[in-house]
Amino acid sequence: MRVVVLDFETASACDLKLSGAWRYAEDPTTDVICASVTVNQHDSFLWTPNHVNSTQRLNALAADPETIFVAHNAGFEKAIWRRIMVPVLGFPDIVNSRWHDTMAVCAMRRIPLDLEHAAKVLNLPQQKDSEGSKITLGLSKLSKKGWYDRSAEKLLRTYQYCMQDSNTEVALLDEIGYLPEGERDVWLMDQKINERGVRIDKEFVRRAQQVIAGTQAPLLREFAGLTGGLKPTQVDKVKGWVEREGYWLPDLKKETLARVLGSVESTEKGEDFYGHDLPDLPAMPDRVARAMAIRALLGSASIKKLARMDACAGMDGRARGLVQYHAAGTGRWGGRLLQPQNFPRGTGKHDPDAAVAAILTGDHEWVQTLLGEPTAVVQNSLRHALVANPGRALVAGDFSGIEMRVVLALAGQHDKTALLATGKDVYVDMADDIYKKPKGTTTKKDIAERTIGKNTVLGCGFQMGWQTFKRRYCPDQTDEFAQGVVSAYRKEWAPEVPKLWYALDEAALDTVRTGEPHEAYGVEFSIDGRWLVARIPSGRKLWYFNPQLRRKRMPWYTEENPDVREVWTFQTQKMGQWITVDAYGGILTENVVQALARDLLVHAMFLCERENMPVVLTVHDEIVIEPLMKDAKFSTLEQIMTETTKWAKGIQVPIAVEGWVAERYRK
DNA sequence: GTACTCTGCGCC
DNA sequence: AAACGGCGCAGAGTAC
């Protein structure tokens, strides 16, 4: 078997970042400049399209079924191969099973995904040539006269850059190797999903943009008129204006504005993770209130998804490459390009069909008359732009409250998993404990109590403290109330769960301290090179880079109670930054539970693929499929998702699935 | 111009 | 005993 490390350099008028690899590779202006080809880690050559000798060599490698191709973000190399190398330049295809992706391994091992930072963090002997990268990007830029500058000198520099990239990739492959068998299968499925894509209703996108264009210009003008020429997105400047108007706001978040405008709509606000304390404020001057109402409406960038859908949809109307394998350290997929994982969910009140029909007129006044504020209607309908092929349907299923269910099962809180298995409402059961009432007293009609119970069950499984609970879910209640809630969860409702936190905390810390493996609740911690590895009950491993011991003042440290302990830290990426974070029981529990929930999802996704129900999207606890059968039913998917694995049966995870069948994506 | 940080917003 | 989990994208502002 031969291993080829392959890296293309390309140039195009199409914006790769904006449109994604598949749309980019289809673009008529996209040119392949060169490729570096490294055989068995040492034998390198440069391929260029018109060079006979290198073309023959590359052709022979591609034609050999025993040769595998390694790339960093193989999806890109594959898109170029399938859309250009095969159909335009006559190379033989390379099937998915012959591709390997070092980026996927970086993702699995929780180090930065981009080659430059991965090489840096790992201290590889070969680093990326960042200057060459800029010159290569320059090949895609038109000069002022409308020419591409692709002089011999620039091309030569690009070739050098390409060869150095290859060196870095070879060093990376040496260091991190391949995906283990199970994850290899997940990645292969990921590639299928990304290549399959999701169909975009381009007509709908166009009409929605018309509606937006018609409705937003006057609002922007009005906002500028009120504020002296500002845009609603200029946060600092708008805050300054508000102050000059004699008012004060801590920030311009939608939630804050909703509170001061007195228009907090639903009681489900408890879902919001980041509520905050607002002092009692005087009434807002009318012009400020009007400006803030416009800001609340136009502050969301979600309608930008429309342009992105347009940019990403390929010639056949499908957008590809929308999900990233193992983007989260726990293994969950991340969303890419038009980010299909954070579509506004809508109020739940709107009828998708009515909204779509109104938007399809492209007439913002009609939308306004029929359904209200057009911007809001379009925002809430964005997800409906994802559609099934004609004559087919989308089917979706999601695991309800899956993390709450897994944490209870893993902790061995059998009374509660049994209660869940009966289908009873556990939130009211929790509320009985919080309000110290006999079991069965609280009912679904006690909305406020049930919401507190719900937030407790969903929120307290991972060591959340009372301060956080209060801030998020009941800022108007007393400290004692919030303390009582957290205590009811830990002492009365799910006393097994805290034991899980402490056991994982201790086992992981002992492993870092001694370098020897330690186990708790079926989670085996060990050291593997520069990582701490947690092997979870599904058999999969979670990776923590560069574990280090340190002494730490605990969050509750005071002069009277100077609590300093030994903890361990690891490095990870947060908001694009490579940072060191502290590990503790709650976070480890959260990670393990989220990872197990992901594995339940993956298991169901495999079954879907096997049963001819192609997966087109995954949103953490949700699967969307586009079955080939015309009369697809939700019950088939439900059955698949309820069919759990051996390990899940072992710890008795009570599964519940909800879903729908429709022509368009919905919630 | 490009890269980076910060705020804000949306999701599970 | 005690602890704010996981993401990606857009726009503004700033540094280079």
Side-chain angles (χ1 to χ4, degrees), chain A residues 498-662:
Chain A
K499 296 180 195 166
L500 171 63
W501 307 334
Y502 305 135
L504 292 185
D505 198 35
E506 193 183 334
L509 183 60
D510 286 344
T511 304
V512 178
R513 233 181 230 147
T514 63
E516 296 300 316
H518 287 79
E519 185 269 349
Y521 286 83
V523 180
E524 298 161 15
F525 295 95
S526 59
I527 301 291
D528 184 340
R530 287 190 261 177
W531 284 266
L532 175 98
V533 174
R535 189 174 183 278
I536 61 176
S538 62
R540 187 159 66 90
K541 289 174 175 172
L542 302 183
W543 299 69
Y544 297 89
F545 187 69
N546 196 21
Q548 299 290 332
L549 294 173
R550 81 171 183 106
R551 295 186 63 75
K552 179 191 177 183
R553 287 184 176 193
M554 304 312 277
W556 48 88
Y557 176 99
T558 56
E559 294 292 328
E560 304 83 58
N561 178 23
D563 197 353
V564 177
R565 295 186 195 179
E566 187 169 49
V567 299
W568 67 279
T569 64
F570 63 98
Q571 284 174 289
T572 188
Q573 213 154 11
K574 242 189 178 80
M575 309 217 303
Q577 308 267 57
W578 189 244
I579 54 161
T580 302
V581 300
D582 296 325
Y584 62 90
I587 216 173
L588 295 173
T589 305
E590 154 73 17
N591 284 184
V592 168
V593 166
Q594 190 180 104
L596 289 173
R598 176 269 201 184
D599 288 342
L600 286 172
L601 194 83
V602 161
H603 175 73
M605 287 163 72
F606 277 137
L607 291 178
C608 286
E609 289 288 333
R610 207 185 65 195
E611 300 297 324
N612 234 355
M613 300 164 65
V615 178
V616 294
L617 201 58
T618 153
V619 190
H620 314 309
D621 62 3
E622 176 187 13
I623 302 174
V624 185
I625 60 176
E626 188 181 1
L628 300 176
M629 309 77 85
K630 280 192 172 160
D631 53 345
K633 288 192 183 64
F634 166 62
S635 58
T636 319
L637 179 60
E638 183 182 30
Q639 201 180 338
I640 283 178
M641 292 179 73
T642 313
E643 171 94 11
T644 61
T645 57
K646 199 173 159 190
W647 65 262
K649 286 194 184 80
I651 61 172
Q652 299 172 47
V653 183
I655 302 288
V657 180
E658 293 174 339
W660 47 261
V661 184

Side-chain angles (χ1 to χ4, degrees), chain A residues 76 86 158 259 295 298 322 347 373 407 429 493 504 661:
Chain A
F76 177 75
V86 174
T158 299
R259 291 180 128 209
R295 151 83 199 174
L298 304 190
L322 299 188
T347 52
E373 185 48 59
V407 77
D429 186 71
W493 201 74
L504 292 185
V661 184

Side-chain angles (χ1 to χ4, degrees), chain A residues 173-188:
Chain A
L173 179 63
D174 268 347
E175 178 70 22
I176 61 173
Y178 299 85
L179 288 176
E181 203 180 324
E183 285 306 291
R184 167 79 183 162
D185 291 338
V186 180
W187 181 78
L188 284 169

